[in-house]
Amino acid sequence: MLTCKQFLQELNDYLDPNVDAVTKVHLQAHVSECPNCFVIVDTTKHTLQVYKGIEPQAIPDDVKTRLWNALERKMAARGRE
Amino acid sequence: MTPTPISALGFDEPSLVERAQSGDSAAFTTLVEQYQRKIFRLAMNITQNTEDAEDVLQETFLKAYQHLDGFQRNSKFYTWIVRIAVNEALMKLRKRRGDKFVSLDEPLETGEEEVKREVAVWEGNPEDRYSQEEIRKILDEAVESLKPDFRTVFALRDIEELSTEETAEALGISVPAVKSRLLRARLALREKLTRQFKRKGEDVFAYL
């Protein structure tokens, strides 16, 4: 069986939904037997979920205004070309 | 013939890009509206500086507009502007850090050394215990603590959801380098968030 260190090197593969079945079974064998790695897998999944779940913050109004002003200038310049 | 309003078409990226390339400014504006928040978030995640992120945001869309004719429609417009944004953000980082900045092309120590890991389950969903603002602050601080090489790869793969190959291409590094940096970033963030979100009384540590 894999050691914890070897398993953690392969953690990305374990979390990848497209990983091949043989690799998945091989890695699953370690997780099923190792409570520490089970918790690491679980909390890593939570970590990724919480990052994916957060909406992008609104851009500050002044930043947005400057962006649009710069774009308008660029578009106007192109229109004159 | 009256042109069909963009709002009535929904968000159809290929058609908007085609129209923008033919000189339709309104179509380009819709593309900017769609992606500006994501580009600003990416720029913040890489530069960790609001002023730099604003410059990156502006430069990205100005360059995209300027070079729109050169965009090949066989790739995604979003991936294309992400590449522009990443280049701009890395330039900002290099400028701010001077010669001390480690190039993304240089090999990194990727061996997983013996580290003390926190092995504790989380107290339910953070969303149930913290406001969005509190969670955002915790997540931002955790990302900020990573080295630029790691947080850039993490932002592209796990936040902006680019593929490993797209991330490698955007950064000009190899696929194995993306994979190893992503692993280090994920484990480091897991560690930090677990300290924050763990169930009280579960101070179990383990050497793995």
Side-chain angles (χ1 to χ4, degrees):
Chain A
M1 196 172 89
L2 293 174
T3 64
C4 294
K5 200 169 167 178
Q6 287 167 331
F7 171 77
L8 289 178
Q9 291 285 357
E10 308 301 323
L11 181 62
N12 280 347
D13 278 348
Y14 184 72
L15 296 174
D16 182 353
N18 300 317
V19 75
D20 65 276
V22 176
T23 307
K24 185 85 180 177
V25 168
H26 180 57
L27 296 171
Q28 184 61 47
H30 180 86
V31 181
S32 308
E33 297 289 321
C34 175
N36 279 350
C37 285
F38 177 84
V39 172
I40 297 228
V41 165
D42 184 57
T43 48
T44 306
K45 282 182 183 167
H46 270 78
T47 298
L48 300 184
Q49 275 164 9
V50 78
Y51 272 101
K52 285 183 203 303
I54 199 112
E55 285 289 308
Q57 204 168 9
I59 301 177
D61 284 343
D62 57 326
V63 174
K64 215 187 270 187
T65 305
R66 285 194 288 272
L67 168 66
W68 288 115
N69 288 344
L71 275 172
E72 271 172 22
R73 280 196 300 275
K74 194 87 175 173
M75 286 170 174
R78 197 180 197 187
R80 284 195 300 271
E81 276 170 12
Chain B
M1 197 179 91
T2 315
T4 313
I6 288 163
S7 56
L9 294 169
F11 187 76
D12 177 357
E13 189 185 282
S15 134
L16 284 166
V17 171
E18 195 178 339
R19 286 166 60 186
Q21 285 185 316
S22 323
D24 181 345
S25 298
F28 186 75
T29 300
T30 306
L31 289 165
V32 176
E33 276 168 356
Q34 177 72 16
Y35 294 127
Q36 57 181 351
R37 284 168 75 156
K38 292 178 90 171
I39 294 295
F40 189 66
R41 171 177 65 183
L42 175 65
M44 276 299 292
N45 276 328
I46 298 177
T47 64
Q48 295 296 322
N49 178 290
T50 312
E51 199 183 310
D52 285 350
E54 176 179 349
D55 286 349
V56 170
L57 174 74
Q58 224 175 78
E59 280 305 310
T60 299
F61 287 113
L62 289 176
K63 284 195 173 163
Y65 186 72
Q66 196 177 340
H67 300 290
L68 204 50
D69 293 342
F71 170 67
Q72 306 289 320
R73 272 180 263 151
N74 51 10
S75 65
K76 279 188 281 182
F77 178 77
Y78 175 60
T79 314
W80 184 62
I81 55 169
V82 161
R83 277 210 298 269
I84 301 175
V86 166
N87 281 335
E88 293 295 323
L90 293 179
M91 270 197 289
K92 287 281 175 199
L93 262 188
R94 289 188 184 111
K95 207 174 275 181
R96 216 167 258 284
R97 288 164 175 258
D99 293 332
K100 284 182 287 180
F101 181 70
V102 181
S103 162
L104 282 164
D105 303 330
E106 285 176 20
L108 277 173
E109 174 55 53
T110 53
E112 190 63 27
E113 67 274 19
E114 196 89 353
V115 284
K116 193 178 181 184
R117 295 196 183 283
E118 183 134 14
V119 184
V121 295
W122 287 15
E123 179 77 63
N125 289 322
E127 292 88 346
D128 300 335
R129 296 167 55 212
Y130 297 88
S131 71
Q132 280 273 306
E133 278 319 298
E134 286 169 325
I135 293 177
R136 197 192 300 280
K137 190 164 176 284
I138 292 166
L139 300 189
D140 286 349
E141 280 172 5
V143 167
E144 191 179 353
S145 71
L146 297 179
K147 286 184 185 169
D149 310 276
F150 297 135
R151 66 174 186 250
T152 302
V153 168
F154 178 77
L156 290 173
R157 280 287 285 111
D158 283 337
I159 301 181
E160 305 310 328
E161 299 187 311
L162 265 63
S163 69
T164 303
E165 289 73 19
E166 286 168 337
T167 304
E169 199 189 326
L171 298 175
I173 60 176
S174 67
V175 165
V178 170
K179 287 183 177 172
S180 68
R181 285 169 206 196
L182 182 65
L183 178 63
R184 295 285 292 271
R186 283 174 167 181
L187 288 173
L189 293 173
R190 184 210 74 86
E191 196 74 18
K192 286 174 196 307
L193 297 197
T194 298
R195 284 193 197 127
Q196 189 73 41
F197 297 137
K198 71 182 175 185
R199 192 177 292 165
K200 284 197 180 74
E202 288 221 16
D203 283 321
V204 185
F205 286 90
Y207 287 90
L208 296 178

